[in-house]
Amino acid sequence: MSNVHFVSFVEPTPEIAEAFTRWENDPTLIPFSRPNQSKEDLEKRGVVTFDDLAQRLKHQQIYLIYLDTQLIGEMSYQVDPPYLFKKVGGSAWIGITIGEANGRGKGVGYQALQHLEQQIQLHGCGRIELGVFEFNMPALALYQRLNYREITRIADFTYWEGRMWQDIRMEKYVNPLSASR
């Protein structure tokens, strides 16, 4: 049995920057991981630098996802970012990427989200919000299984396969916990 575990990301390394660059440039992941307004946006590629990662760490709590000793993905949350659909104080916006194909379809996302929800509760947040593109059926099914509910759809949000698609915003209320529990 493979061991899935999570590590708080606190300091960029060349290996981590290389993995993030690989995932952010993977043509099979790009449609699912970032909004694109056009075919040109969908085809853009770039390098994730140490500075990029350091900037993310200023605003996000990031956890690295490992399968045994292999880094296979990352997940993060931000508290009360400006792009929340519902402006409710103490809301965490979450994101997750299972970057390596061998980590997909094995329940890693389910375990990762459960861990992330626990960390958000320990942070004292009582609400989680996320966005999922309407064509991302595996992610949508996972969020529904974990009791996230749809709160709105934003039309013409991302480009893929020759047309614009909606962003489905979902939320879940959780009980904030104190770190001493």
Side-chain angles (χ1 to χ4, degrees):
M1 179 104 198
S2 296
N3 175 31
V4 176
H5 60 280
F6 314 103
V7 175
S8 184
F9 178 36
V10 293
E11 188 172 331
T13 67
E15 296 79 18
I16 293 170
E18 188 275 328
F20 277 57
T21 296
R22 185 172 60 252
W23 303 334
E24 291 195 18
N25 289 286
D26 183 333
T28 63
L29 291 177
I30 290 171
F32 300 94
S33 62
R34 69 177 193 221
N36 300 285
Q37 291 302 302
S38 65
K39 184 177 186 221
E40 292 76 26
D41 285 350
L42 193 62
E43 294 170 349
K44 284 183 184 171
R45 302 297 185 269
V47 174
V48 178
T49 67
F50 275 43
D51 286 344
D52 295 333
L53 294 174
Q55 285 300 312
R56 279 188 64 187
L57 285 168
K58 288 181 182 180
H59 306 286
Q60 299 178 8
Q61 179 63 50
I62 303 171
Y63 298 89
L64 304 174
I65 306 168
Y66 286 87
L67 183 61
D68 296 320
T69 60
Q70 181 190 11
L71 176 60
I72 61 164
E74 60 100 3
M75 59 186 165
S76 64
Y77 72 88
Q78 297 178 69
V79 178
D80 297 332
Y83 40 83
L84 288 171
F85 176 74
K86 276 192 182 177
K87 308 295 189 217
V88 176
S91 291
W93 174 267
I94 64 171
I96 181 171
T97 299
I98 306 299
E100 302 299 333
N102 65 318
R104 296 183 211 128
K106 298 180 177 176
V108 172
Y110 184 86
Q111 292 176 60
L113 283 172
Q114 288 183 313
H115 179 80
L116 193 58
E117 286 178 7
Q118 181 182 40
Q119 297 307 306
I120 288 166
Q121 289 175 288
L122 288 170
H123 188 96
C125 294
R127 181 177 172 276
I128 301 169
E129 185 174 318
L130 61 86
V132 59
F133 304 141
E134 67 178 304
F135 54 80
N136 191 347
M137 300 312 284
L140 189 56
L142 172 62
Y143 300 137
Q144 290 169 338
R145 182 174 165 210
L146 286 167
N147 298 313
Y148 287 81
R149 69 174 193 86
E150 182 176 327
I151 54 175
T152 196
R153 290 179 180 233
I154 302 172
D156 299 328
F157 193 81
T158 193
Y159 177 89
W160 186 55
E161 293 193 331
R163 72 179 188 93
M164 297 300 290
W165 297 79
Q166 297 177 52
D167 190 39
I168 301 171
R169 294 294 174 94
M170 303 180 86
E171 71 178 351
K172 180 177 182 176
Y173 284 88
V174 295
N175 294 321
L177 303 171
S178 73
S180 61
R181 283 190 186 174

